[in-house]
Amino acid sequence: RKIPFRRQVDLPIEYKGIKLATSYRIDILVMEKIVLELKAIEQVKKIHEVQLVTYLKLGEWPLGLLMNFNVEVMRKGIHRKINGNIEGLTL
């Protein structure tokens, strides 16, 4: 479908105006708008959701999906997070 995406996107960390030597790494960024955080874990925990929200805020992206592949039915493994208003988000 030729949907543009990037894998393993570095998200630099800055603290009090100082760029740190380390960075976060986003699993997949779709259309420069949607963050996909992929997991294959027994249970999604609050820390995983916080991780996704942190990425959304730092990158100023409107939408994120936390996708856990360790489920019987995939729709039960998808958790959506919104950063602000997504009304103008066109896919």
Side-chain angles (χ1 to χ4, degrees):
R1 296 193 184 216
K2 298 183 182 179
I3 298 171
F5 70 95
R6 294 190 292 148
R7 286 183 265 179
Q8 298 297 305
V9 178
D10 281 328
L11 183 58
I13 303 171
E14 200 172 294
Y15 180 72
K16 293 186 178 182
I18 300 170
K19 217 175 238 192
L20 302 179
T22 187
S23 65
Y24 291 119
R25 186 161 295 165
I26 297 167
D27 290 333
I28 299 175
L29 182 60
V30 180
M31 299 175 63
E32 301 298 318
K33 296 178 183 180
I34 304 169
V35 175
L36 301 182
E37 184 61 26
L38 310 178
K39 303 286 185 194
I41 52 180
E42 194 67 35
Q43 181 180 0
V44 172
K45 297 185 179 177
K46 186 69 176 172
I47 190 69
H48 301 118
E49 294 179 9
V50 170
Q51 176 187 15
L52 177 59
V53 170
T54 299
Y55 294 167
L56 293 177
K57 287 181 180 179
L58 289 175
E60 299 179 355
W61 294 298
L63 181 63
L65 298 174
L66 174 58
M67 304 176 77
N68 182 17
F69 288 90
N70 190 21
V71 291
E72 289 182 27
V73 179
M74 190 60 208
R75 78 171 166 259
K76 291 182 180 181
I78 299 174
H79 304 264
R80 182 176 74 163
K81 294 294 176 188
I82 298 172
N83 182 29
N85 184 356
I86 64 167
E87 270 185 45
L89 179 66
T90 57
L91 302 177

